[in-house]
Structures are given as C-alpha cells and as structure tokens.
Amino acid sequence: MKSSPLVVFDLETTSLCRTSDIVQIAAYSEEKKFDTYVMPYKPMSPELSAMIGINVDGNQMLYNKERVMHKIQFQALNDFIIYLSFFSKKPILVGHNI
C-alpha cells in the first residue's frame, strides 16, 4: 500500500508577529512543487524584507529587485489547496514558519 506523500511547505511573512501577512507560499514534494507570491495588506518590516529579498513597491512585488507575478491572499491560498488536491492520497503537511 502506497503511503501518503510528504509535502514540506514554507511561508514568508511581513514580520515575525502572529498577525503578519503571508508574502510567499512555497511547497515541495517528490511529485510536485508549488510557489507563489502573495500581495500583503500590511507593510513589510525593512529588516525582514532585506533578509528574504522580497519587497513591495506600490502595486508591484519584487524578489531580489526583479518583478515577480503575485496574487491576492484568497487566490494564493485557494491555489495552494488546489495543489494539495492533485495528490492521489491526502498528503502529510510539514510546515516551516507557520
């Protein structure tokens, strides 16, 4: 019997506070990868922005000073759920910075 797949995912956020906004969701399994940038409602702390390389300039998101496509929070989270639904068995989630 095939075991459930393991999906490791990471969230980058606007700060280290519990009320911070998500700015990136990345996930990896042996079968599939997922990565999306998320436009935050709250400003990013300059220290964290420098550390992770993600910055918001008006309505643009930048990663290492290059524009990246981004989504609104609802769409990004919905896309992550859709990504998880494509596994043949319910995956086991392992999270970092969640």
Side-chain angles (χ1 to χ4, degrees):
M1 177 154 74
K2 186 178 176 187
S3 62
S4 294
L6 188 65
V7 175
V8 179
F9 73 103
D10 180 33
L11 303 179
E12 297 298 346
T13 55
T14 55
S15 72
L16 298 177
C17 297
R18 292 180 62 106
T19 59
S20 59
D21 282 352
I22 297 170
V23 294
Q24 183 185 23
I25 306 170
Y28 174 84
S29 78
E30 289 182 347
E31 299 174 32
K32 300 173 177 54
K33 295 180 183 180
F34 178 86
D35 187 29
T36 192
Y37 293 92
V38 186
M39 181 60 79
Y41 294 114
K42 299 176 182 177
M44 292 190 67
S45 74
E47 299 83 15
L48 192 60
S49 181
M51 186 170 63
I52 64 175
I54 298 173
N55 195 7
V56 176
D57 184 14
N59 64 351
Q60 295 296 316
M61 286 194 80
L62 307 165
Y63 176 66
N64 291 334
K65 300 181 182 178
E66 297 288 326
R67 279 184 172 177
V68 292
M69 298 296 295
H70 61 275
K71 299 175 180 178
I72 62 171
Q73 291 178 13
F74 174 83
Q75 186 63 54
L77 292 169
N78 192 57
D79 288 352
F80 185 55
I81 291 168
I82 292 169
Y83 160 79
L84 294 173
S85 74
F86 280 111
F87 289 90
S88 58
K89 288 188 135 195
K90 289 185 180 181
I92 297 171
L93 299 177
V94 178
H96 175 71
N97 189 27
I98 59 169

